[in-house]
Amino acid sequence: MTKEELAPLDAAVTRTGLPSRAAPPSSHKRIERRRRRLPMMSSRTRSPWFLLLAVVLMVTQAQAVDGKLQLCEVETGQTNIILDIEESRGSFVGQRTTPPELPIYGEPDEEIALDLIFPKGKPTFTLVGKSLQLIHPLDRDEENLSHIVFQITCTIRSTRRKRNIPIIVRVSDVNDNPPMFINTPYETTVPEVSVAST
């Protein structure tokens, strides 16, 4: 066939996207390889990759949620709990701690059980849910009491797994003592001609 007779065939081949007769053999192979790879990536590997990505994301989110929501864990992420309370005014024992509830994850009497352990002396607090309630008045000055240290045992009801958490309650002073004057009465004299502020 002459060049003139082959021209319409070359045009048809070019329109279909196939390599023309005049292209070198190496480019034929490159184009063939590209055409073979692209459909494989889109049809065979796309859905498994998306499925794998979805599974990884779900596992990561589950681990993040589990890391924050473990029963008997301290919600602040600390290994101990620090609270503040004012000393009692007289015999009053109704003052609340700050924060008012222990930041321990779980519902008392449903998911977890909480018990206080006082290693030294008689108990100072009792538990009402997650709140500490004073048993007797606190006098910071008389008892030289700046803080109270004890532990709480948290038990996961479903697994019976226990965890001890140290608790520090800092006792703040209240100005509840009237001033005391010694060696009264006091006497002094002020001259009538004294200059002010001297």
Side-chain angles (χ1 to χ4, degrees), residues 95-152:
Q95 64 267 42
R96 303 197 68 183
T97 60
T98 304
E101 288 192 342
L102 296 168
I104 299 173
Y105 183 75
E107 282 298 318
D109 301 324
E110 292 178 18
E111 299 173 313
I112 59 173
L114 300 173
D115 296 299
L116 298 178
I117 301 170
F118 290 89
K120 295 179 182 178
K122 59 183 179 178
T124 310
F125 297 96
T126 186
L127 270 173
V128 180
K130 288 188 185 179
S131 298
L132 294 176
Q133 174 66 52
L134 273 172
I135 296 173
H136 56 80
L138 291 177
D139 191 334
R140 190 178 193 276
D141 302 317
E142 186 177 311
E143 300 171 38
N144 195 21
L145 190 65
S146 61
H147 59 276
I148 303 164
V149 179
F150 55 97
Q151 288 189 343
I152 189 164

Side-chain angles (χ1 to χ4, degrees), residues 10-71:
D10 281 342
V13 169
T14 305
R15 276 197 304 274
T16 59
L18 296 171
S20 67
R21 187 175 53 82
S26 61
S27 64
H28 283 273
K29 289 179 184 173
R30 249 183 276 129
I31 293 169
E32 289 280 327
R33 277 196 294 257
R34 282 187 201 145
R35 283 192 186 144
R36 272 190 236 131
R37 284 184 195 153
L38 289 174
M40 284 175 64
M41 282 295 289
S42 60
S43 63
R44 293 184 186 174
T45 58
R46 183 180 296 168
S47 57
W49 279 111
F50 282 129
L51 181 62
L52 180 63
L53 179 62
V55 169
V56 168
L57 287 174
M58 285 192 303
V59 169
T60 305
Q61 288 174 352
Q63 286 174 345
V65 169
D66 287 342
K68 291 181 182 176
L69 302 177
Q70 291 290 323
L71 292 174

